[in-house]
């Protein structure tokens, strides 16, 4: 009899375990990264207001684990995405393009989710004699978030190609130094570092200009011939395919966060200050967030110009015909470029 009782208990226990073990019973997870910039305001809003959790619950996922990481430069972000320690990457357009070209046609193919913002980034110098890109001397060192691969490094190549000819696009690469925007700002303003210029990001580029003697050599809008996407988000087809409902919740969260930023830029600025532990005045940050050249939008803008340049100089081995080649279909109804 005791054997029969044991078997009944064992059967019930096994059934209970079976009820808990399916993937549906597990808490889904999404891990997101952002870099050092105001260009990721939607992500700040999403984290503070738990928008991914909100929309996941609305779509039938009662609980989701959301993790937020801070990384510097596209190489670090893309390495994390490829290694499986990150699900959602964000950064400049070249970071997306490099990984898209590298993974195209594979199960791990990477594409863009959406844009986050269109805004300029500035190349600032402390040398009064440097008024154009042609004025840089061999002794000058230019700080960028990541040499050769960051959006600032690519923009410097685009500017060099315009100034010296396409074959000389990499002329200033040897003078670039990888440095996070906060560290680059400290080095530039300190005056004692080898760093004499910084191709940076908001708000640091504007913080640099607050100091006497610092001036702008290049505005990226001038190089691109107009407004362009600054920050975008991307992920793998594997994550999107394996998590269709969670991905839908992510898109909805990004959409709501974009609306929130546009409706109250001062409140969004305060969230960035809190997250970045910045000592910058709220009025200054709000002025940057609401700047005349700044758009908070999920619509990609002039991203194909990055792709065309990078293909032309050999950085990309895969040619994109349209922006839709490297973005997922959820934003195809937008008038992107």
């Amino acid at each position: 009899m005791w054997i029969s009782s044991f078997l009944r208990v064992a059967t019930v226990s096994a059934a209970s375990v079976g009820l808990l073990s399916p993937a549906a019973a597990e808490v889904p997870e999404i891990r997101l990264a952002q870099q050092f910039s105001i260009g990721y305001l939607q992500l700040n809003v999403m984290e503070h207001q738990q928008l991914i959790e909100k929309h996941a619950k609305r779509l039938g996922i009662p609980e989701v684990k959301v993790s937020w990481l801070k990384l510097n430069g596209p190489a670090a972000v893309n390495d994390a995405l490829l290694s499986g320690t990150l699900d959602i990457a964000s950064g400049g357009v070249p970071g997306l393009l490099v990984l898209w070209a590298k993974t195209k046609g594979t199960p791990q193919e990477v594409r863009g989710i959406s844009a986050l913002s269109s805004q300029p980034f500035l190349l600032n110098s402390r040398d009064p004699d440097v008024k154009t890109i042609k004025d840089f001397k061999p002794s000058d060192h230019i700080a960028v978030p990541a040499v050769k691969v960051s959006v600032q490094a690519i923009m410097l190549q685009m500017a060099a190609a315009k100034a010296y000819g396409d074959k000389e696009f990499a002329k200033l690469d040897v003078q670039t130094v990888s440095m996070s925007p906060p560290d680059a700002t400290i080095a530039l303003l300190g005056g004692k570092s080898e760093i004499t210029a910084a191709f940076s990001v908001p708000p640091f580029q504007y913080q640099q200009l607050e100091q006497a003697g610092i001036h702008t050599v290049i505005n990226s809008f001038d190089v691109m011939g107009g407004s362009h996407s600054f920050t975008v988000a991307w992920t793998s087809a594997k994550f999107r395919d394996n998590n269709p409902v969670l991905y839908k919740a992510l898109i909805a969260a990004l959409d709501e966060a974009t609306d929130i930023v546009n409706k109250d830029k001062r409140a969004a600025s305060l969230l960035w200050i809190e997250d970045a532990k910045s000592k910058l005045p709220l009025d200054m940050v709000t002025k940057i967030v609401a700047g005349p050249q700044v758009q908070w939008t999920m619509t990609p803008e002039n991203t194909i110009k990055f792709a065309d340049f990078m293909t032309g100089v050999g950085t990309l081995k895969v040619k994109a015909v349209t922006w839709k080649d490297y973005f997922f279909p959820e934003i195809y109804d937008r008038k992107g470029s």
Side-chain angles (χ1 to χ4, degrees):
M1 181 176 292
W2 69 269
I3 294 177
S4 177
S5 299
F6 174 80
L7 289 174
R8 284 197 300 272
V9 172
T11 301
V12 172
S13 298
S16 299
V17 170
L19 290 172
L20 296 174
S21 61
E26 297 177 1
V27 176
E29 181 178 11
I30 182 169
R31 299 159 298 177
L32 304 92
Q34 61 188 52
Q35 300 181 49
F36 295 92
S37 171
I38 282 182
Y40 308 92
L41 271 185
Q42 290 99 319
L43 303 188
N44 297 114
V45 172
M46 286 162 61
E47 180 177 7
H48 277 262
Q49 299 198 14
Q50 298 185 326
L51 295 185
I52 295 176
E53 295 91 328
K54 168 189 169 180
H55 287 283
K57 188 174 183 178
R58 179 179 60 84
L59 293 171
I61 303 177
E63 187 178 358
V64 58
K65 181 180 179 182
V66 182
S67 302
W68 299 90
L69 306 172
K70 180 82 76 176
L71 298 171
N72 180 56
V77 170
N78 283 343
D79 285 348
L81 193 63
L82 289 175
S83 68
T85 58
L86 182 67
D87 302 308
I88 309 298
S90 58
V93 176
L96 159 63
L97 292 171
V98 166
L99 203 53
W100 164 73
K102 182 177 181 179
T103 60
K104 190 175 186 297
T106 72
Q108 282 281 53
E109 182 170 344
V110 168
R111 291 192 187 188
I113 300 167
S114 76
L116 296 175
S117 71
S118 289
Q119 55 185 303
F121 44 96
L122 310 177
L123 173 58
N124 294 332
S125 172
R126 69 174 184 231
D127 186 342
D129 294 329
V130 177
K131 295 179 174 60
T132 73
I133 191 173
K134 288 188 172 183
D135 295 326
F136 282 113
K137 301 178 292 294
S139 58
D140 287 315
H141 289 81
I142 305 167
V144 295
V147 298
K148 295 187 178 182
V149 294
S150 65
V151 65
Q152 291 84 355
I154 298 299
M155 189 62 66
L156 187 63
Q157 291 181 345
M158 295 173 80
K162 280 191 170 186
Y164 297 104
D166 291 344
K167 292 183 179 180
E168 296 294 319
F169 75 95
K171 182 178 178 67
L172 296 176
D173 282 6
V174 295
Q175 293 177 234
T176 58
V177 178
S178 292
M179 192 173 288
S180 73
D183 289 340
T185 298
I186 293 171
L188 183 65
L189 298 185
K192 297 180 180 179
S193 166
E194 64 176 6
I195 301 300
T196 58
F199 219 156
S200 195
V201 296
F204 304 102
Q205 60 192 22
Y206 300 109
Q207 184 182 8
Q208 294 161 12
L209 291 171
E210 291 286 303
Q211 180 165 304
I214 305 296
H215 64 282
T216 297
V217 179
I218 293 175
N219 179 312
S220 62
F221 278 16
D222 294 334
V223 179
M224 292 286 279
S227 179
H228 62 79
S229 287
F230 169 42
T231 43
V232 295
W234 60 93
T235 190
S236 66
K238 181 179 179 181
F239 177 83
R240 174 177 171 270
D241 294 344
N242 289 347
N243 303 275
V245 179
L246 186 54
Y247 189 83
K248 188 176 181 180
L250 172 66
I251 293 292
L254 279 167
D255 206 6
E256 182 177 359
T258 302
D259 285 342
I260 289 172
V261 171
N262 282 317
K263 287 177 181 176
D264 195 340
K265 294 181 174 67
R266 188 175 181 84
S269 300
L270 182 59
L271 292 182
W272 180 84
I273 289 173
E274 292 178 0
D275 287 350
K277 297 179 175 57
S278 174
K279 295 181 180 179
L280 292 177
L282 176 58
D283 286 345
M284 177 183 177
V285 176
T286 302
K287 183 179 179 181
I288 294 169
V289 169
Q293 292 185 308
V294 179
Q295 296 181 67
W296 300 100
T297 176
M298 292 174 65
T299 303
E301 183 180 19
N302 277 328
T303 61
I304 196 68
K305 289 187 177 181
F306 286 107
D308 289 344
F309 173 79
M310 294 171 70
T311 303
V313 300
T315 304
L316 291 185
K317 306 303 180 184
V318 179
K319 181 172 177 57
V321 178
T322 170
W323 68 274
K324 293 181 179 180
D325 289 343
Y326 45 84
F327 277 92
F328 285 119
E330 283 76 8
I331 61 165
Y332 284 180
D333 61 339
R334 299 171 184 263
K335 296 181 180 179
S337 58

